[in-house]
């Protein structure tokens, strides 16, 4: 049961960040395609944006690990 | 463009598949026990005993495999920097050039994000985070990590049988048994204490930088009675400061821990060829996570020294 | 608390790593970043200096070359002038020599002509005198009588004077 809960926590918790990361990269790539000179700056900010979106998945991971190992 | 379905091509593909599938039977790789905490490998002033799960210390200070890995990282850094900077020349060559390029790139990055006057203060922390994390992450790929160590009783479900390889040297085999491996070395960043320590140092330094730049006005962003809205925002800010610590440490830990588990599971499923792209992926993940940690630390530092009143 | 322990978080370990990390930051800053950044700054300074020096040297060289070129031009102009002057002088000299030579030639010619004239006249004169003398001699023979020396001379002179 804990395994199931853990799997669901990380599985469901990864959906939102997945979409979020996709949107971040979509926007960044469009920006880079329109304005290739700014690619470097956009890439850095894209990585930061991904990191922030990913944070949500990390909270899910924390919950999953707690469920699995505690 | 020839036909992809030529007999030769089909033959090669079949051979590769055969090698992959065959290797799963010829080289049965046991799956190592997945243990979250770092395990002690010897005790300073104590006795190493078999604990509930793996090994434990009876008295004394436990010296864990991630500590040894941290020391290996330090050693690597020492070797790299001593080799690179022993005879610094005005005209750089080889490793000195690489080290200088890395430092120059990061100094430029710090200046871009934090501004010229803050860069000298933020740079050492940011650079150290990047270098240490990068080397620690890439140690994940060194052969022998997480696969050489003490063999001990599992005291729980799981575990493999052990077999004597040479006199005194044992290996786990893929047969049910009661033994697990406690590796001497484990990727340092897969011990939660390591990323957490960096996250704590970073967030404390963020607060120090904020106070140094803005004085007591810095705390206005946390405790603000101007309006109810500002008060609630302040509370959210406080929570987010702690959430940053968690997301910092768990991001690095989670990525690297998942990476090591991935590198366990892939050889367990198919020992040959299949793990290769995952090793390449881990090189990339290690680099990206090191950069993300450093870049986020830099961004938080830069946000802290900017007054809230100005915008 | 139990959750933290099962995740592997452990006070003494955490403290060890914090101390280790701070030490690492300090040591790397002291022995790696600072020397490298100083070296980078030093190199930038040197390169800027070098570029400035190169720029100066280039300007100096350009200046010198311009000067040299000016000098060369001057020299060339002077040489040309000299050549022109010499040519002119030579031309003049030639004209002069030519004129002199022509004059000399003319003079010689005139002299020669005069001499020839004189010679001719003298020869003619002599011839006439001889003819007169001969004629007188003939006449004397024919007449048979000799004129005296003085008369003879008078007659010849008269003859010659009438002839001329």
């Amino acid at each position: 049961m804990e395994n199931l809960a853990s799997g669901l926590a990380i599985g469901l918790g990864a959906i939102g960040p997945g979409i979020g990361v996709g949107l971040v990269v979509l926007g960044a790539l469009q920006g880079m395609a329109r304005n290739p000179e700014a690619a470097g700056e956009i890439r850095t900010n894209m990585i930061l944006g991904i990191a922030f979106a990913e944070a949500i998945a990390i909270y899910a991971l924390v919950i999953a690990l707690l469920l699995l190992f505690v | 463009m020839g036909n992809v379905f030529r007999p030769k091509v089909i033959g090669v593909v079949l051979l590769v598949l055969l090698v992959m599938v065959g290797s799963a039977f010829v080289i049965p790789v046991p799956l190592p026990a997945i243990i979250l905490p770092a395990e002690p490998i010897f005790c300073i002033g104590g006795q190493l005993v078999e604990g509930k799960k793996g090994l434990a210390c009876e008295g004394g200070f436990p010296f864990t495999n991630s500590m040894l890995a941290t020391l290996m990282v330090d050693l690597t850094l020492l070797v790299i920097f001593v080799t690179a900077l022993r005879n610094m020349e005005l005209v750089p060559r080889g490793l000195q050039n690489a080290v200088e390029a890395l430092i120059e790139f990061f100094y430029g990055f710090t200046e871009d994000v934090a501004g010229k006057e803050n860069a000298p203060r933020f740079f050492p922390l940011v650079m150290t985070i990047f270098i240490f994390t990068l080397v620690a992450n890439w140690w994940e790929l060194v052969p022998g990590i997480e696969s050489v160590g003490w063999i001990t009783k599992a005291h729980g479900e799981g575990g493999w049988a052990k077999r004597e390889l040479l006199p005194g040297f044992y290996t786990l085999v893929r047969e049910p048994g009661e033994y697990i491996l406690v590796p001497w070395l484990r990727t340092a960043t897969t011990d939660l204490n390591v990323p957490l320590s960096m996250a704590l140092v970073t967030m404390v330094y963020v607060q120090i930088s904020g106070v140094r730049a803005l004085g007591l006005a810095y705390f206005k962003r946390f405790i603000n009675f101007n309006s109810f809205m500002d008060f609630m925002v302040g509370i959210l800010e406080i929570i987010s400061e702690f959430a940053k610590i968690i997301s910092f440490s768990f991001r690095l830990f989670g990525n690297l821990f998942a990476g090591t588990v991935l590198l366990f599971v892939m050889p367990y499923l198919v020992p040959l060829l299949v793990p290769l792209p995952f090793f390449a992926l881990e090189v990339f993940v290690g680099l990206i996570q090191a950069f993300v940690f450093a870049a986020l630390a830099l961004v938080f530092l830069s946000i802290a020294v900017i007054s809230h009143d100005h915008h | 608390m139990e959750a933290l322990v099962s995740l592997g978080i452990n006070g003494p370990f955490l403290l060890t790593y914090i101390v280790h990390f701070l030490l690492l930051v300090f040591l790397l800053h002291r022995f790696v970043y600072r020397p490298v950044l100083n070296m980078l700054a030093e190199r930038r300074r040197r390169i800027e200096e070098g570029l400035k020096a190169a720029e100066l040297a280039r300007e100096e060289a350009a200046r010198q070359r311009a000067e040299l070129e000016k000098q060369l031009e001057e020299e060339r102009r002077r040489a040309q002038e000299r050549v022109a002057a010499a040519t002119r002088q030579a031309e003049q000299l030639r004209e002069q020599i030519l004129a002199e030579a022509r004059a000399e030639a003319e003079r010689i010619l005139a002299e020669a002509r005069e001499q020839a004239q004189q010679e001719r006249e003298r020869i003619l004169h002599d011839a006439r005198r001889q003819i007169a003398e001969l004629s007188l001699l003939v006449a004397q023979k024919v007449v048979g009588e000799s004129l005296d020396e003085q008369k003879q001379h008078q007659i010849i002179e008269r003859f010659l004077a009438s002839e001329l």
Side-chain angles (χ1 to χ4, degrees):
Chain A
M1 205 58 187
E2 275 174 1
N3 287 349
L4 179 66
S6 162
L8 281 178
I10 185 63
L12 293 178
I15 294 174
I19 296 170
V21 169
L23 287 176
V24 169
V25 177
L26 169 77
L29 285 182
Q30 280 180 345
M32 283 188 218
R34 289 210 185 122
N35 195 0
E37 307 96 73
E41 207 170 315
I42 292 176
R43 191 175 300 118
T44 312
N45 286 323
M46 177 188 82
I47 289 172
L48 291 180
I50 290 174
F52 283 119
E54 201 192 28
I56 313 298
I58 288 157
Y59 303 139
L61 175 77
V62 174
I63 302 297
L65 287 177
L66 284 176
L67 284 171
L68 202 59
F69 288 102
V70 176
Chain B
M1 288 297 279
N3 187 6
V4 194
F5 298 103
R6 273 173 304 174
K8 216 170 167 182
V9 175
I10 295 175
V12 169
V13 168
L14 278 181
L15 191 70
V16 168
L17 281 175
L18 195 72
V19 166
M20 284 176 0
V21 174
S23 68
F25 293 99
V26 178
I27 319 166
V29 177
L31 185 67
I34 295 163
I35 300 168
L36 227 41
E39 301 107 315
I41 47 173
F42 64 88
C43 303
I44 300 166
Q47 193 73 40
L48 194 67
V49 294
E50 286 186 1
K52 269 210 308 273
K53 197 162 191 189
L55 300 168
C57 268
E58 215 171 52
F61 186 77
F63 192 87
T64 62
N65 43 17
S66 63
M67 282 179 196
L68 187 60
T70 309
L71 289 182
M72 298 308 281
V73 172
D74 293 346
L75 196 71
T76 314
L77 290 178
L78 191 73
V79 168
I80 289 175
F81 287 133
V82 164
T83 322
L85 308 178
R86 191 181 39 210
N87 305 313
M88 272 230 278
E89 285 166 32
L90 205 61
V91 181
R93 217 177 315 131
L95 204 56
Q96 188 195 342
N97 209 346
V99 168
E100 280 182 4
L102 179 71
I103 289 179
E104 194 171 21
F105 167 76
F106 255 86
Y107 198 78
F109 181 59
T110 312
E111 275 187 341
D112 282 350
V113 177
K116 273 217 179 334
E117 69 275 23
N118 287 320
R121 271 194 219 124
F122 296 168
F123 177 72
L125 183 74
V126 173
M127 192 73 231
T128 309
I129 288 175
F130 180 76
I131 289 181
F132 176 76
T133 314
L134 183 72
V135 176
N137 288 352
W138 279 355
W139 260 91
E140 181 189 12
L141 306 164
V142 175
I145 281 256
E146 323 238 9
S147 55
V148 179
W150 309 118
I151 286 177
T152 179
K153 281 221 164 68
H155 294 291
E157 74 244 58
W160 306 100
K162 73 171 176 182
R163 182 174 297 159
E164 193 160 27
L165 212 58
L166 291 166
F169 291 92
Y170 293 88
T171 180
L172 291 178
V173 289
R174 197 154 151 185
E175 285 156 22
E178 52 177 359
Y179 293 101
I180 57 167
L181 177 82
V182 174
W184 286 333
L185 279 168
R186 120 188 221 148
T187 314
T189 37
T190 61
D191 177 359
L192 198 46
N193 292 304
V194 176
L196 188 59
S197 69
M198 288 196 289
L200 283 172
V201 169
T202 306
M203 290 320 288
V204 168
Y205 192 62
V206 166
Q207 314 308 320
I208 292 172
S209 300
V211 172
R212 188 159 57 185
L214 305 174
L216 284 179
Y218 173 70
F219 293 107
K220 258 206 276 187
R221 72 180 63 181
F222 300 124
I223 304 155
N224 198 324
F225 297 109
N226 282 354
S227 68
F228 180 68
M229 196 61 202
D230 283 352
F231 181 71
M232 293 310 285
V233 168
I235 288 178
L236 272 181
E237 286 270 349
I238 293 174
I239 294 172
S240 88
E241 289 299 294
F242 287 98
K244 278 174 193 168
I245 298 176
I246 296 173
S247 65
F248 251 148
S249 46
F250 273 91
R251 175 180 302 113
L252 186 55
F253 164 77
N255 273 289
L256 269 290
F257 193 76
T260 52
V261 172
L262 191 68
L263 294 187
F264 291 160
V265 171
M266 283 305 145
Y268 171 72
L269 296 175
V270 182
L272 288 185
L273 296 176
V274 169
L276 215 59
F278 292 95
F279 274 85
L281 177 76
E282 284 309 307
V283 172
F284 182 66
V285 167
L287 176 67
I288 285 291
Q289 288 309 316
F291 182 74
V292 163
F293 204 119
L296 279 179
L298 181 56
V299 168
F300 292 152
L301 282 166
S302 328
I303 291 172
V305 295
I306 296 167
S307 170
H308 261 199
D309 302 333
H310 286 318
H311 53 97
Chain C
M1 230 31 221
E2 199 211 340
L4 290 185
V5 170
S6 65
L7 285 178
I9 297 171
N10 172 314
F13 289 2
L14 192 58
L15 205 68
T16 315
Y17 286 122
I18 287 174
V19 169
H20 163 264
F21 185 64
L22 288 175
L23 210 66
L24 197 66
V25 171
F26 173 75
L27 289 177
L28 286 181
H29 181 44
R30 178 80 185 67
F31 293 110
V32 177
Y33 308 149
R34 206 179 291 166
V36 168
L37 288 175
N38 284 345
M39 175 61 90
L40 290 176
E42 165 78 8
R43 187 173 305 139
R44 178 165 314 175
R45 202 178 57 73
R46 284 276 183 97
I47 287 173
E48 266 166 17
E49 249 172 33
L51 283 179
K52 212 178 282 170
E55 184 67 29
L56 270 177
R58 200 165 46 218
E59 266 169 24
E60 174 68 23
R63 206 180 53 71
Q64 266 179 4
R65 217 172 81 167
E67 202 167 282
L68 227 79
E69 228 148 69
K70 221 172 70 183
Q71 264 178 9
L72 210 71
E73 191 60 36
E74 179 83 3
E75 209 65 22
R76 202 173 289 149
R77 202 176 52 71
R78 212 173 290 160
Q80 246 164 11
E81 239 166 49
R82 214 171 294 158
V83 166
T87 310
R88 214 164 42 237
Q89 223 171 343
E91 190 73 21
Q92 256 175 10
L93 208 65
R94 198 176 71 105
E95 293 281 311
Q96 197 185 329
I97 287 169
L98 222 61
E100 266 169 25
R102 208 170 283 143
E104 178 79 9
E106 225 141 277
R107 194 180 56 75
I108 288 171
L109 203 62
E111 226 165 65
R113 208 172 275 154
E114 202 176 327
Q115 225 165 18
Q117 189 72 19
Q118 270 175 8
E119 196 73 5
R120 206 182 65 143
E121 268 170 24
R122 199 176 53 81
I123 288 170
L124 220 64
H125 189 81
D126 281 2
R128 230 175 247 155
R129 176 185 292 261
Q130 244 160 15
I131 290 170
E133 266 175 8
L134 278 174
S135 314
L136 271 182
L137 216 58
V138 170
Q140 215 172 25
K141 286 254 170 83
V142 170
V143 176
E145 89 180 94
S146 73
L147 298 166
D148 63 12
E149 203 81 351
Q150 203 166 349
K151 199 99 179 225
Q152 202 174 351
H153 265 284
Q154 271 173 0
I155 292 167
I156 290 170
E157 288 304 319
R158 211 165 47 226
F159 170 74
L160 284 175
S162 72
E163 248 340 87
L164 289 172

